[in-house]
Amino acid sequence: MTLVAPGRARAGIRVKSRDRPPWLIQPLYLLPAFFLLLVFFVVPALTTIGISFTDWQLGSSSIDFIGLENYRELFTDEVYRKSLINTLKLDLFVVPVSFFLALGLALAINGLNRFQGFWQTVYFLPVTTTLVAMAQVWSWILHPQFGMVAQLFKLFGLTPINWLNDQSVVLYTIGFISIWQLVGYYTVLFIAGLLNVPKDLYEAALIDGARSPWDKFCHVTWPMLGPTSLFIFIITIIKSSQIFDTVKVLTQGGPNNASEILLYTLYSEGFEFFRTGLASAIATLFFAIMLLLTLYQMRVFEKYVHYR
Amino acid sequence: MANLELKGISKYFGASQALSNIYLTVEDGEFVSLVGPSGCGKTTLLRIIAGLETASEGDVVIAGQIVNELDPAQRNVAMVFQSYALYPHKSVFENIAFPLRMQAPWFTRIPIISHLFKARRMLEAHLQERVPQTADLMHLGELLKRKPRQLSGGQRQRVALARAMVRSPQLFLMDEPLSNLDAKLRADMRAEIIELRRRLGGTFIYVTHDQSEAMTMSDRVVLMHESRIQQIGAPSELYDNPANLFVAEFIGNPKINTLTVQSSTAGELHGFGNHLQGVPEHIDGVAVPVREALSLCLRPEALRLLPTQARDAFTGRIHILENLGNEFLVIVHPIGEVENSGGDTTKPMKLVARVAATVGRLLHTGDTVHLQPDWSQALLFNQDGFRLHQATTAVLEEVRV
């Protein structure tokens, strides 16, 4: 800059904007992204939190501040409580199963000498599908009388289960479809993690006497997968809490609210019954739970995760 | 400690041959370097000894036992990797303790419950004694609680060595352990490994591409090239008495001078744009063959700078003067156009001489100088790179067995 400036000063050219100090110019670069975030994320989020303290209904002109009334209703009303508990139950089923299934698949595929790409594709295919359409396909497969599964049960002389209409089963059916759709995605992430483990470490472990696959897994693979595992664990929780399409298409929360989960409750309260205030309270609660869970996980697992 | 024998080891990767019929005997307590340019097969050979790779043909014998079928742990060898290969999630203590933990019965590794067994408690007591003891040898006493990422390159190297030493293996295998360190640290670690070995003993197989490392550390050097052993011998043997042109050019820094020369009549030599007279009729123990292109090799210290012209000296012009402090390297190019009789014309012909600093300071680039070979140190090779000297055949015989 100093090299150019004297010449310019002599020529009488005004100093251009790129010569202005960085503290002035750098925030300007951030402005477009900041603006977008503000309009589409920060303002709606704050508005939602605000609305959650009111009795506003979509389209209504009257709006009254009712304090924590919506939240009180959420925790006392039987349906909402059930929705919350169902969501937790679903998470407790989907998260560990998809996590360990994906890890197992990744180890198996990674251990293959040939056709690795083929098996990766097979397990990854469901990720690429549209869940609304696939949910419809599953509803045929699981049909209590004509579905493939029912036929198979009959073949072995078993009584077919009404997968989507049995109160004790329906939540796990929804969970299973979610696992089917996403396990390939986690598997691919795990495989990427496995490929990053230095080969030297396995050889060093072999020479040091870690001969069994179990020892190698405990002392090399698992510790080296730490960052990948933490990431996948958090993603599985977020994804399993986001289950919505299957419930909307297959059960609408039924039977008897057995598959009523937070996101679906939010949707039906907000966009079917237009109780926007209550729906906002659910959204806020959902956000708070996800935030706390993620922060807690980061805190706890950071200690056991070794970034190289 | 144990001796090692390799009997006819060959290794193929698909169609390409990585090792060809390798025979080698390493005595108990010996330090042997495998040295050669990259791709010569030295690392593959080490990995075969370790059991990380299986030989296509031949036997690996450790302490009189054929170990072809044994896995690395059963061979009881320790290996130090170029990348150190420390376990990043384990502390220095646990890294060093790991081989001992793996030697203990499997039930001592069950989390928590194993503390109920006496074997686990005895193991822990043993580790508390043995690990710090080994760490102290490598000056790691203060660092036992650290993680590898908190250590410098040199410290990581020490941890890798300590992990290798802790279980007193039959063989120490080292795969270019110093090549990730900077020059200063490398020299320090080199001295430290020599010192360590003097104190502890042990049989070492040391792979390196650095000939000076091999020369300074080993009892014997195995020089490999193109998947074959070129020569086995003490460092001084390889330096003074190379079996072929490759060995002569690989060993020594600066590189040996190689000139393409021809003799028309006895006592005369053409080469380097010069016509030398009064040359001994016998060089390197053989009568110089007449009318045959030969490679004449002279170490930089076998060239003497003369104040005046002599009949058997090369005349040239100083191209570069390298001041090394205690001495100078004088790089001399021939004067005028020189027809390169049969040799590699792309490589400029030059002679490098070592001179004392007192002499070097008086020289200038562009000076005309006369370099007289010490004919008693000269080596002669034919155009295929084989040494003319009779002893050569004997040396080669020994290598091939």
Side-chain angles (χ1 to χ4, degrees):
Chain A
M1 207 172 76
T2 47
L3 287 174
V4 184
R8 279 199 179 145
R10 240 178 294 137
I13 296 169
R14 215 166 56 86
V15 177
K16 284 190 179 166
S17 63
R18 68 159 179 264
D19 292 332
R20 282 190 187 134
W23 57 262
L24 195 70
I25 206 76
Q26 282 170 358
L28 284 177
Y29 292 131
L30 295 174
L31 214 57
F34 180 72
F35 178 75
L36 286 175
L37 272 176
L38 200 71
V39 170
F40 291 107
F41 189 77
V42 179
V43 171
L46 292 177
T47 313
T48 305
I49 295 172
I51 292 174
S52 74
F53 299 112
T54 70
D55 65 351
W56 191 53
Q57 301 206 336
L58 195 66
S60 156
S61 55
S62 78
I63 180 163
D64 286 309
F65 181 76
I66 53 166
L68 292 171
E69 182 56 31
N70 284 330
Y71 291 95
R72 201 192 57 80
E73 195 181 340
L74 279 188
F75 286 109
T76 49
D77 187 285
E78 192 58 41
V79 175
Y80 303 134
R81 251 195 15 221
K82 195 163 186 188
S83 169
L84 192 64
I85 289 168
N86 279 345
T87 308
L88 291 177
K89 263 194 193 160
L90 192 60
D91 280 355
L92 282 178
F93 170 60
V94 172
V95 172
V97 172
S98 43
F99 182 90
F100 288 109
L101 192 62
L103 179 60
L105 285 172
L107 288 172
I109 291 173
N110 199 48
L112 293 175
N113 291 325
R114 302 165 70 188
F115 304 122
Q116 285 198 3
F118 171 75
W119 289 108
Q120 273 185 50
T121 312
V122 165
Y123 286 104
F124 194 75
L125 268 181
V127 181
T128 65
T129 59
T130 314
L131 196 53
V132 174
M134 291 325 282
Q136 210 59 60
V137 174
W138 276 108
S139 78
W140 296 327
I141 293 174
L142 298 174
H143 191 281
Q145 278 175 316
F146 315 111
M148 264 163 58
V149 179
Q151 298 296 329
L152 213 64
F153 267 56
K154 280 179 195 160
L155 201 67
F156 290 101
L158 299 165
T159 324
I161 294 169
N162 195 342
W163 298 102
L164 293 168
N165 271 312
D166 187 327
Q167 283 190 43
S168 57
V169 179
V170 64
L171 203 57
Y172 300 100
T173 310
I174 299 289
F176 170 80
I177 296 173
S178 166
I179 292 169
W180 165 82
Q181 204 219 354
L182 285 172
V183 78
Y185 176 58
Y186 308 136
T187 304
V188 168
L189 290 178
F190 266 128
I191 289 174
L194 285 173
L195 292 178
N196 268 329
V197 181
K199 247 186 94 199
D200 275 2
L201 276 188
Y202 287 109
E203 295 186 339
L206 196 63
I207 284 183
D208 288 340
R211 290 157 63 192
S212 70
W214 176 245
D215 280 335
K216 278 182 222 169
F217 179 79
C218 287
H219 293 283
V220 182
T221 312
W222 181 244
M224 298 307 290
L225 275 182
T228 312
S229 300
L230 176 61
F231 176 72
I232 292 175
F233 190 43
I234 290 174
I235 290 279
T236 47
I237 293 197
I238 291 173
K239 285 278 184 191
S240 75
S241 305
Q242 282 176 345
I243 294 172
F244 171 76
D245 328 35
T246 34
V247 176
K248 170 77 177 124
V249 174
L250 296 178
T251 67
Q252 284 90 41
N256 194 18
N257 297 329
S259 63
E260 187 80 39
I261 52 173
L262 268 188
L263 268 196
Y264 185 73
T265 313
L266 189 160
Y267 165 81
S268 53
E269 288 298 336
F271 302 103
E272 282 177 356
F273 309 133
F274 301 116
R275 296 172 64 191
T276 315
L278 194 79
S280 298
I282 298 175
T284 308
L285 188 70
F286 187 71
F287 175 69
I289 292 174
M290 293 320 293
L291 191 70
L292 286 176
L293 263 180
T294 311
L295 285 178
Y296 175 74
Q297 280 171 358
M298 300 287 279
R299 270 282 177 77
V300 169
F301 290 99
E302 202 101 275
K303 275 187 241 164
Y304 304 102
V305 170
H306 304 276
Y307 299 95
R308 265 172 296 146
Chain B
M1 289 216 288
N3 63 335
L4 165 78
E5 269 180 272
L6 301 177
K7 294 180 174 172
I9 300 283
S10 293
K11 176 72 182 176
Y12 304 91
F13 290 111
S16 70
Q17 189 170 35
L19 289 170
S20 169
N21 203 25
I22 304 286
Y23 282 87
L24 176 66
T25 304
V26 178
E27 296 303 329
D28 198 356
E30 207 178 7
F31 192 120
V32 170
S33 289
L34 305 178
V35 66
S38 54
C40 70
K42 57 191 190 298
T43 295
T44 307
L45 187 58
L46 192 78
R47 290 169 60 82
I48 287 173
I49 299 169
L52 294 171
E53 208 95 60
T54 48
S56 307
E57 287 159 22
D59 291 327
V60 179
V61 183
I62 297 175
Q65 185 196 3
I66 296 181
V67 296
N68 296 355
E69 303 298 322
L70 300 185
D71 67 35
Q74 290 168 315
R75 294 183 189 197
N76 193 17
V77 296
M79 185 156 164
V80 176
F81 292 81
Q82 185 176 357
S83 64
Y84 319 136
L86 299 179
Y87 308 110
H89 55 286
K90 292 184 194 289
S91 64
V92 170
F93 183 97
E94 285 303 326
N95 262 286
I96 299 173
F98 187 63
L100 296 178
R101 286 198 189 281
M102 285 293 131
Q103 276 180 345
W106 65 271
F107 57 83
T108 58
R109 294 197 288 279
I110 306 170
I112 307 163
I113 302 168
S114 61
H115 284 280
L116 299 172
F117 301 122
K118 192 165 171 242
R120 172 74 189 260
R121 293 197 297 272
M122 277 170 63
L123 173 69
E124 292 301 330
H126 177 58
L127 292 178
Q128 286 304 331
E129 185 187 343
R130 185 92 174 97
V131 172
Q133 200 183 339
T134 312
D136 280 344
L137 273 177
M138 295 311 304
H139 316 296
L140 290 166
E142 316 280 290
L143 306 171
L144 284 173
K145 287 202 176 76
R146 299 253 190 107
K147 292 280 167 63
R149 67 167 178 276
Q150 296 166 303
L151 303 178
S152 69
Q155 289 167 335
R156 288 180 203 191
Q157 187 57 71
R158 288 168 209 276
V159 178
L161 284 168
R163 183 176 65 179
M165 281 166 15
V166 73
R167 66 198 154 119
S168 320
Q170 304 211 61
L171 281 177
F172 286 101
L173 306 175
M174 303 201 170
D175 185 10
E176 311 220 7
L178 304 185
S179 61
N180 279 356
L181 303 176
D182 61 55
K184 168 86 173 65
L185 253 163
R186 201 178 310 166
D188 291 349
M189 284 304 292
R190 201 153 75 185
E192 216 162 303
I193 292 177
I194 295 171
E195 169 63 26
L196 196 73
R197 187 220 160 196
R198 191 175 300 145
R199 245 186 310 167
L200 298 178
T203 313
F204 284 69
I205 317 281
Y206 188 101
V207 163
T208 177
H209 62 268
D210 181 350
Q211 57 92 20
S212 62
E213 228 168 65
M215 297 286 281
T216 49
M217 297 175 84
S218 7
D219 297 325
R220 280 192 304 155
V221 176
V222 177
L223 184 59
M224 296 179 67
H225 180 50
E226 288 177 339
S227 60
R228 284 169 205 282
I229 292 179
Q230 301 294 318
Q231 192 171 0
I232 303 173
S236 57
E237 169 79 8
L238 263 68
Y239 190 81
D240 297 333
N241 201 11
N244 56 43
L245 190 58
F246 179 82
V247 177
E249 293 197 327
F250 193 85
I251 301 287
N253 185 30
K255 209 170 113 177
I256 199 166
N257 295 299
T258 306
L259 289 180
T260 309
V261 295
Q262 201 162 18
S263 171
S264 45
T265 52
E268 289 187 12
L269 264 183
H270 295 274
F272 200 64
N274 284 230
H275 181 71
L276 270 53
Q277 289 175 317
V279 176
E281 288 177 24
H282 281 75
I283 298 177
D284 193 17
V286 290
V288 181
V290 176
R291 272 182 284 282
E292 191 185 323
L294 300 165
S295 291
L296 173 71
C297 285
L298 292 157
R299 295 276 175 205
E301 59 272 20
L303 285 169
R304 198 149 43 108
L305 205 67
L306 295 184
T308 53
Q309 174 71 289
R311 290 202 311 153
D312 65 341
F314 293 106
T315 304
R317 187 166 283 146
I318 298 179
H319 187 60
I320 298 170
L321 270 171
E322 281 182 21
N323 185 350
L324 301 180
N326 60 334
E327 60 178 15
F328 277 64
L329 293 180
V330 187
I331 295 153
V332 179
H333 281 198
I335 297 169
E337 286 293 302
V338 176
E339 54 162 315
N340 213 331
S341 49
D344 183 359
T345 46
T346 55
K347 212 164 49 184
M349 205 187 273
K350 63 170 186 182
L351 281 172
V352 181
R354 244 185 239 273
V355 299
T358 45
V359 179
R361 281 196 202 103
L362 305 174
L363 300 172
H364 303 282
T365 311
D367 287 357
T368 300
V369 288
H370 311 288
L371 295 170
Q372 186 182 41
D374 175 354
W375 295 107
S376 67
Q377 289 185 49
L379 305 169
L380 270 186
F381 300 88
N382 67 17
Q383 281 311 89
D384 297 326
F386 288 111
R387 183 107 175 256
L388 293 182
H389 183 34
Q390 296 298 314
T392 313
T393 36
V395 172
L396 282 177
E397 221 73 68
E398 190 188 301
V399 172
R400 298 267 155 81
V401 179

